[in-house]
């Protein structure tokens, strides 16, 4: 039964990515994937959503959060994603979460002190007390404050920082459109 479900989800997802209206622009692409996940929510349980940051991504307004130039060639997405046959719903969710996260996170230009060659990205850390702009490494999970010190404020909800958030914290990002 599980094999049937993941096969069905893989096929449906590829078919979604083949639709011209989905790959028309980044906002349409992001919205279509979010809607597809919501339509298939019975397969994407709370743990799967949370472990792959989809719980946050499903709530974002793509018109506010999508970065200027995501490194995705929309016309090639069905082919790229179709090359991989996911054997678990969690694996499919991980690929989707990584892809969407890459579309909404702004790189800082600063290398991760742990990975060395992976660029840190701006995120908002929302704790019970306050909202802070921090830098996060997608690869190893390293988080640091804007002054370079390691994150030590405990548990927080991590949300991609939008351009508006960066401006609020005094960071100017040049547009690359």
């Amino acid at each position: 039964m599980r094999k049937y479900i993941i096969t069905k989800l893989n096929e449906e997802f590829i078919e979604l990515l083949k639709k011209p209206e989905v790959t028309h622009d980044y906002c349409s692409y992001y919205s279509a994937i979010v809607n597809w996940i919501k339509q298939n929510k019975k397969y994407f349980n709370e743990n799967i959503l949370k472990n792959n940051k989809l719980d946050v991504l499903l709530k974002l307004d793509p018109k506010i959060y999508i970065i200027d130039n995501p490194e995705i060639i929309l016309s090639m997405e069905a082919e790229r994603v179709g090359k991989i046959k996911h054997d678990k719903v969690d694996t499919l969710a991980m690929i989707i979460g990584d892809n969407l996260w890459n579309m909404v996170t702004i790189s800082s230009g600063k290398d991760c002190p742990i990975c060395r060659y992976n660029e840190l990205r701006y995120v908002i850390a929302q704790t019970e007390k306050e909202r802070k702009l921090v830098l996060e490494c997608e690869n190893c999970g390293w988080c640091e404050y804007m002054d370079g010190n390691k994150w030590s404020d405990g548990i927080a909800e991590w949300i991609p920082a939008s351009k508006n958030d960066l401006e609020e914290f005094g960071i100017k990002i040049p547009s690359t459109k």
Side-chain angles (χ1 to χ4, degrees), residues 19 23 31 33 38 51 59 62-63 66 93 104 113 117 119 130 141 147 149 163:
K19 295 180 179 179
T23 56
S31 298
I33 293 174
K38 288 177 180 178
N51 289 342
K59 299 176 198 171
K63 292 176 184 144
I66 290 180
V104 297
Y117 303 107
E119 210 170 309
E130 61 189 326
D147 66 5
N149 289 317
K163 284 184 183 179

Side-chain angles (χ1 to χ4, degrees), residues 127-172:
T127 65
E128 287 183 17
K129 298 177 186 176
E130 61 189 326
R131 187 173 177 263
K132 293 182 178 180
L133 181 65
V134 297
L135 298 173
E136 173 199 48
C137 178
E138 170 197 14
N139 193 45
C140 73
W142 169 264
C143 293
E144 65 182 47
Y145 300 100
M146 295 305 294
D147 66 5
N149 289 317
K150 182 179 179 179
W151 172 261
S152 62
D153 280 345
I155 297 174
E157 180 179 14
W158 301 95
I159 304 164
S162 69
K163 284 184 183 179
N164 294 341
D165 292 324
L166 294 179
E167 285 178 14
E168 179 184 321
F169 283 96
I171 307 283
K172 287 273 188 205

Side-chain angles (χ1 to χ4, degrees), residues 47-149:
N47 283 339
I48 288 174
L49 294 176
K50 192 172 189 90
N51 289 342
N52 296 290
K53 301 180 182 176
L54 289 167
D55 58 333
V56 171
L57 294 164
L58 294 179
K59 299 176 198 171
L60 299 180
D61 180 346
K63 292 176 184 144
I64 294 172
Y65 282 90
I66 290 180
I67 62 174
D68 288 346
N69 290 309
E71 294 180 357
I72 297 171
I73 302 169
L74 294 176
S75 61
M76 302 290 290
E77 274 300 276
E79 183 182 335
R80 183 186 71 82
V81 174
K83 288 180 182 178
I84 305 164
K85 296 297 179 217
H86 307 96
D87 58 347
K88 296 179 188 170
V89 174
D90 195 42
T91 309
L92 177 59
M94 179 184 72
I95 297 300
I96 293 170
D98 287 350
N99 211 20
L100 295 181
W101 193 256
N102 288 334
M103 292 180 71
V104 297
T105 51
I106 300 169
S107 295
S108 68
K110 181 179 179 184
D111 287 337
C112 175
I114 305 302
C115 297
R116 299 275 184 234
Y117 303 107
N118 205 19
E119 210 170 309
L120 298 174
R121 299 192 242 188
Y122 294 105
V123 293
I124 300 293
Q126 181 71 52
T127 65
E128 287 183 17
K129 298 177 186 176
E130 61 189 326
R131 187 173 177 263
K132 293 182 178 180
L133 181 65
V134 297
L135 298 173
E136 173 199 48
C137 178
E138 170 197 14
N139 193 45
C140 73
W142 169 264
C143 293
E144 65 182 47
Y145 300 100
M146 295 305 294
D147 66 5
N149 289 317

